[in-house]
């Protein structure tokens, strides 16, 4: 078994607003470096919650998340922001892009937040957009793109800071088959470049390209292969 | 991509909201600038009018307050209260020159004009007046006027003038003095007293002393001899400035409150913007933006409202004080504020104060919304619908 880049211990998340919703319970999970994993399970059963917790976007009610040796539950908000900035790329299901910015600028902003000076941003952003086949859409605004194109911009952007880990929440959830195929090619390409990829999905075609499938039901992990 | 570029793109994305928020600030700053610049030349202007009066001491009825003292300089009508008996007593003191004033009002073509009853010859010497057109003649049917009056109402020597229902002939027009003497119709004192039915009384007496070092002594002597009060020109200037200063400060406070009200416009705009951009804030956080970064992005946005509103307000304010100043209705309170000489255009101090105020207020207004934005949890922002 290869080295684990992400590890969770008894991860539990309970949302409290008026009444308690147990979104995740006692999840112990290990994700090997360089793997392409997908998280599957019915809607509302805690998949997004799990992804947010391992990406340091949210904090668990109890349990721990380790990124290599770093305990994400023990660091402050600034440190978490730093981790998201340096090590993790996110792609969400909808609404990934800032609507006032062009495609190019949407990628550049990730570079800006990573501390790359303006004069070095453009070349890198163009390179990333080339990787996902959008070199001819640099000046387009998000609302001029198809759903698939937007997701590809989001992937290009998530790679801006050269992260180790790419977390995607139903990236092909609202795409047609052709767009999905293009997207999957991009995801595989990224994975082959050494990134660890975790995808929440309902799509069998995503499951097909994954090395490992993690099933979540009622906030609990079902044993692999079950 | 830079933060500045992002802030600017966000600032201008809702054009009408941007415009109205800016206008709110601009209106407040414009009124502040107008009032600040109207007041800048105040002191010099008051001194100038006092010089025009040409007196070191002013003899007034007892119990006059600062309000009436201002009127000595502005030419508002004054109550007549010093009887001739006292005038003569004052005039009788050796070493001083005393000229009585009876200040009243009339109207020409429905516009209010100051009428002053004077002793023709002593006054002419006292003021060093020169005649421009016609002759210097004041008697039961003859008057002279200041140059501005002649210009304003297109009067020439020989014209008929009706004052309080009585016909007069305009005999002469004085040379321009560059002060309030130009805005007056001069009547012979006795004629004016009869015309206005004030018996033998005058409003005040202007006094020149031969030896300025002896001013205190003369002041005392006048008060011993006659039942009057005496103020020096310096005291007069001081009390006028005190009152005008209060009026100016009050007006400026009101303008400052207008800017503060606009600050609530900024708060409102920013809170609305943050609500609308919750998801975008979440995206930025997911990309690794720290709380400090989110805070500063929104704070810069507010500050820009202050900066842009301030610049617009400055331009409007200067335009306003330039065009409006001459038309400000003349009264005791605005007489000095509004005169063209007291408007110092583009004073760096005014620009600095107004801009600083606009930006500081906008920043203060931006703190709460920016803080709220920075405290959003990334997940809350992302899963917001
Ligand atoms: N911010 C939240 N506040 C309260 N309940 C939430 C929140 N986010 C998710 N939940 C609840 O937690 C459960 C798991 O949600 P989620 O992780 O989004 O599921 P999935 O991604 O598998 O559809 C659901 O019942 C959902 O209603
Ligand atoms: Mg989900």
């Amino acid at each position: 078994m290869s080295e684990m880049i992400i590890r969770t211990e008894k991860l539990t998340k309970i949302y409290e607003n008026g009444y308690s919703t147990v979104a995740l319970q006692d999840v112990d999970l290990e994700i090997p470096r360089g793997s392409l994993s997908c998280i599957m399970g019915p809607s509302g059963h805690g998949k997004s919650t799990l992804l947010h917790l391992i990406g340091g976007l949210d904090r668990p009610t109890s349990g721990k998340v380790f990124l290599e040796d770093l305990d994400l539950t023990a660091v402050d908000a600034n440190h978490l922001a730093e981790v998201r900035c340096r090590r993790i790329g996110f792609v969400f299901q909808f609404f990934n892009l800032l609507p006032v910015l062009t495609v190019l600028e949407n990628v550049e902003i990730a570079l800006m937040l990573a501390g790359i000076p303006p004069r070095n941003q453009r070349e890198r952003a163009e390179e990333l957009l080339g990787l996902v086949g959008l070199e001819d859409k640099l000046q387009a605004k998000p609302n001029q793109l198809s759903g698939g194109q937007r997701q590809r911009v989001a992937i290009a952007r998530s790679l801006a800071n050269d992260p180790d880990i790419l977390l995607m929440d139903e990236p092909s959830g609202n795409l047609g088959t052709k767009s999905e195929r293009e997207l999957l090619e991009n995801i595989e390409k990224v994975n082959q470049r050494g990134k660890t990829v975790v995808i929440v999905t309902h799509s069998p075609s995503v499951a097909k390209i994954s090395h490992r499938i993690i099933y979540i039901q009622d906030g609990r992990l079902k044993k692999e292969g079950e | 991509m830079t933060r500045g570029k992002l802030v600017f793109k966000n600032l201008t994305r809702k054009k009408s909201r941007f415009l109205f928020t800016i206008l709110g600030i601009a209106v407040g700053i414009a009124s502040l600038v107008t009032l600040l610049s109207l007041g800048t030349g105040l002191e010099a202007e008051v001194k100038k009018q006092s010089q025009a009066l040409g007196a070191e001491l002013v003899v007034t009825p007892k119990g006059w307050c600062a309000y009436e003292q201002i009127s000595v300089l502005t030419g508002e009508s004054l109550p007549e209260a010093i009887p001739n008996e006292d005038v003569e007593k004052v005039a009788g003191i050796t070493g001083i020159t005393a000229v009585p004033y009876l200040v009243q009002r009339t109207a020409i073509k429905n516009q209010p004009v100051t009428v002053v009853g004077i002793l023709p010859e002593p006054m002419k010497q006292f003021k060093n007046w020169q005649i421009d057109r016609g002759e210097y003649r004041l008697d039961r049917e003859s008057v002279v006027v200041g140059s501005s009056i002649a210009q304003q109402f297109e009067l020439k020597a020989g014209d008929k003038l009706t004052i309080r229902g009585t016909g007069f002939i305009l005999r002469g027009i004085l040379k321009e003095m560059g002060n309030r003497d130009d805005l007056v119709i001069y009547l012979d004192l006795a004629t004016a007293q009869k015309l206005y039915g004030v018996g033998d009384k005058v409003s005040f007496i202007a006094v020149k002393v031969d030896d300025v070092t002896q001013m205190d002594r003369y002041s005392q002597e006048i008060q011993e001899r006659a039942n009057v009060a005496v103020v020096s020109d310096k005291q007069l200037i001081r009390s006028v400035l005190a009152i005008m200063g209060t009026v100016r400060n009050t007006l400026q406070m009101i303008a400052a409150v207008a800017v503060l009200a606009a600050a609530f416009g900024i708060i409102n705009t920013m809170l609305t913007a943050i609500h609308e951009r919750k998801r975008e804030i979440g995206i930025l956080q997911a990309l690794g933006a720290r709380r400090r970064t989110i805070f500063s992005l929104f704070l810069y946005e507010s500050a820009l409202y202050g900066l842009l509103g301030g610049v617009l307000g400055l331009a409007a304010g200067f335009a306003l004080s330039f065009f409006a100043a001459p038309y400000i209705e003349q009264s005791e309170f605005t007489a000095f504020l509004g005169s063209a000489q007291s408007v110092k255009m583009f004073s760096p101090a005014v620009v600095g104060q107004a801009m600083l105020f606009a930006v500081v207020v906008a920043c203060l207004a931006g703190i709460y919304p920016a803080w709220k934005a920075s405290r959003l949890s990334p997940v809350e922002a992302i899963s917001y619908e």
Side-chain angles (χ1 to χ4, degrees):
Chain A
M1 205 195 226
S2 56
E3 188 203 341
M4 298 302 158
I5 190 164
I6 299 165
R7 197 158 54 79
T8 70
E9 274 177 16
K10 294 214 171 307
L11 201 58
T12 301
K13 177 74 183 181
I14 303 169
Y15 291 105
E16 301 276 5
N17 32 13
Y19 51 95
S20 312
T21 309
V22 181
L24 274 188
Q25 199 163 15
D26 296 329
V27 172
D28 292 312
L29 185 69
E30 291 187 321
I31 296 188
R33 184 185 301 280
S35 64
L36 200 173
S37 315
C38 75
I39 302 175
M40 301 188 83
S43 268
H45 281 232
K47 304 183 296 295
S48 297
T49 302
L50 177 60
L51 201 71
H52 295 156
L53 289 176
I54 62 183
L57 270 182
D58 203 357
R59 291 179 184 277
T61 310
S62 66
K64 288 185 189 308
V65 179
F66 290 96
L67 182 64
E68 289 161 351
D69 292 328
L70 179 68
D71 181 359
L72 292 188
T73 57
V75 303
D76 68 6
N78 276 338
H79 196 159
L80 269 188
E82 181 74 21
V83 168
R84 293 195 297 265
C85 184
R86 304 270 160 225
R87 310 216 41 197
I88 297 170
F90 286 97
V91 177
F92 302 105
Q93 182 173 2
F94 309 103
F95 203 93
N96 276 290
L97 307 180
L98 304 185
V100 281
L101 303 183
T102 63
V103 165
L104 187 69
E105 289 166 338
N106 261 288
V107 178
E108 285 179 349
I109 198 158
L111 295 164
M112 173 190 103
L113 290 170
I116 294 173
R119 71 194 125 82
N120 301 342
Q121 288 173 8
R122 176 146 192 163
E123 199 185 337
R124 172 114 176 95
E126 283 180 3
E127 180 193 321
L128 289 164
L129 285 163
L131 199 71
V132 295
L134 286 175
E135 48 278 276
D136 56 338
K137 295 282 183 195
L138 300 183
Q139 298 307 329
K141 285 282 176 70
N143 62 9
Q144 297 164 331
L145 301 180
S146 72
Q149 288 170 327
R150 280 183 226 172
Q151 291 307 78
R152 278 147 65 195
V153 178
I155 290 177
R157 190 187 56 191
S158 68
L159 296 172
N161 48 356
D162 197 22
D164 308 323
I165 302 163
L166 207 57
L167 303 177
M168 305 185 173
D169 196 349
E170 305 194 34
S172 62
N174 55 341
L175 300 185
T177 30
K178 179 165 167 283
S179 301
E180 184 176 41
R181 193 158 2 89
E182 283 173 357
L183 191 73
L184 292 184
E185 281 166 21
N186 283 307
I187 291 173
E188 282 194 289
K189 197 154 43 164
V190 168
N191 178 242
Q192 279 152 18
R193 289 162 143 242
K195 312 278 181 217
T196 306
V197 182
V198 181
I199 312 172
V200 170
T201 190
H202 291 291
S203 157
S205 7
V206 176
K208 212 178 288 167
I209 64 161
S210 302
H211 309 154
R212 317 166 64 242
I213 301 176
I214 298 154
Y215 289 99
I216 293 275
Q217 196 158 26
D218 284 326
R220 289 172 183 277
L221 201 64
K222 286 211 291 182
K223 284 276 166 319
E224 276 171 58
E226 266 177 46
Chain B
M1 180 55 52
T2 59
R3 285 187 196 192
K5 198 168 164 191
L6 179 63
V7 167
F8 192 75
K9 288 204 171 198
N10 276 326
L11 188 71
T12 50
R13 64 200 277 180
K14 294 273 163 78
K15 301 279 184 299
S16 60
R17 196 195 293 157
F18 169 72
L19 194 70
F20 287 125
T21 308
I22 290 274
L23 281 179
I25 292 283
V27 166
I29 291 295
S31 42
L32 190 65
V33 164
T34 310
L35 293 170
L36 283 173
S37 25
L38 287 182
T40 43
L42 183 63
E43 193 162 334
E45 178 66 10
V46 170
K47 284 198 175 132
K48 193 175 141 211
Q49 293 304 336
S50 157
Q51 233 161 28
L53 185 65
E56 284 107 19
L57 296 173
V58 178
V59 178
T60 71
K62 278 192 165 155
W64 263 18
C65 64
Y67 173 84
E68 286 155 322
Q69 292 176 352
I70 295 179
S71 302
V72 170
L73 298 185
T74 60
E76 288 299 302
S77 67
L78 283 164
E80 64 297 336
I82 305 179
N84 193 38
E85 175 193 351
D86 282 337
V87 177
E88 276 171 4
K89 279 183 197 159
V90 173
I93 299 172
T94 43
I96 67 170
T97 318
V99 292
Y101 279 70
L102 173 64
V103 185
Q104 296 289 351
R105 292 232 124 177
T106 187
I108 304 180
K109 294 178 184 154
N110 283 329
Q111 302 225 37
V113 179
T114 304
V115 176
V116 177
I118 54 169
L119 299 173
E121 276 319 307
M123 191 66 169
K124 188 173 179 220
Q125 279 174 19
F126 193 91
K127 291 277 193 178
N128 226 344
W129 278 341
Q130 309 279 322
I131 200 82
D132 187 31
R133 275 159 289 160
E135 54 174 331
Y136 186 75
R137 192 165 131 198
L138 294 102
D139 55 31
R140 252 184 294 155
E141 52 197 21
S142 310
V143 301
V144 298
V145 300
S147 65
S148 299
I149 293 275
Q151 207 174 9
Q152 188 182 349
F153 298 103
E154 293 170 346
L155 300 173
K156 50 188 190 307
D159 281 357
K160 285 209 156 133
L161 266 184
T162 307
I163 302 170
R164 268 218 151 189
T166 308
F168 288 91
I169 297 166
L170 173 58
R171 295 290 182 181
I173 295 161
L174 297 174
K175 253 212 183 96
E176 186 177 341
M177 304 290 289
N179 57 45
R180 269 163 215 286
D181 288 358
D182 297 339
L183 298 167
V184 174
I185 304 178
Y186 294 99
L187 251 65
D188 168 59
L189 180 59
T191 309
Q193 283 168 335
K194 208 186 293 166
L195 190 62
Y196 285 90
V198 299
D200 66 347
K201 291 183 175 144
V202 301
S203 305
F204 67 90
I205 309 168
V207 173
K208 234 185 244 183
V209 300
D210 294 348
D211 182 358
V212 187
T213 58
Q214 298 289 305
M215 241 164 61
D216 289 346
R217 194 177 62 72
Y218 287 122
S219 169
Q220 214 162 12
E221 192 175 342
I222 293 169
Q223 290 176 77
E224 276 163 14
R225 286 208 188 188
N227 184 29
V228 292
V230 179
V231 290
S232 73
D233 57 345
K234 296 213 172 53
Q235 285 167 330
L236 195 63
I237 289 173
R238 220 180 303 133
S239 62
V240 168
L241 280 179
I243 281 210
M244 301 308 297
T246 311
V247 171
R248 189 185 55 182
N249 290 346
T250 309
L251 291 174
Q252 286 167 1
M253 285 273 284
I254 294 171
V257 168
V259 178
L260 286 180
F264 287 98
I266 295 188
I267 295 181
N268 197 21
T269 297
M270 293 308 295
L271 286 177
T272 311
I274 286 160
H275 187 74
E276 286 171 355
R277 289 187 224 149
K278 256 188 174 172
R279 275 180 179 276
E280 295 174 37
I281 294 168
I283 299 291
L284 290 173
Q285 288 173 320
L287 290 175
R290 295 169 170 221
R291 284 180 172 166
R292 201 183 327 137
T293 309
I294 306 284
F295 182 86
S296 65
L297 286 175
F298 283 95
L299 194 67
Y300 291 157
E301 207 169 316
S302 303
L304 268 179
Y305 273 118
L307 197 71
L308 297 175
V311 169
L312 195 66
L314 272 179
F318 280 128
L320 205 67
S321 38
F322 183 73
F323 293 112
Y327 299 102
I328 289 179
E329 198 186 338
Q330 300 282 302
S331 75
E332 293 85 344
F333 294 118
T334 55
F336 293 115
L337 292 177
S339 66
Q341 297 91 329
S342 74
V343 182
K344 288 251 172 63
M345 301 301 293
F346 307 110
S347 130
V350 169
V351 172
Q353 281 171 25
M355 284 311 296
L356 190 70
F357 190 62
V359 172
V360 166
V361 164
C363 282
L364 289 178
I367 287 178
Y368 174 66
W371 180 81
K372 262 196 100 165
S374 72
R375 303 311 287 189
L376 279 177
S377 99
V379 168
E380 191 189 335
I382 288 160
S383 48
Y384 168 79
E385 6 228 325

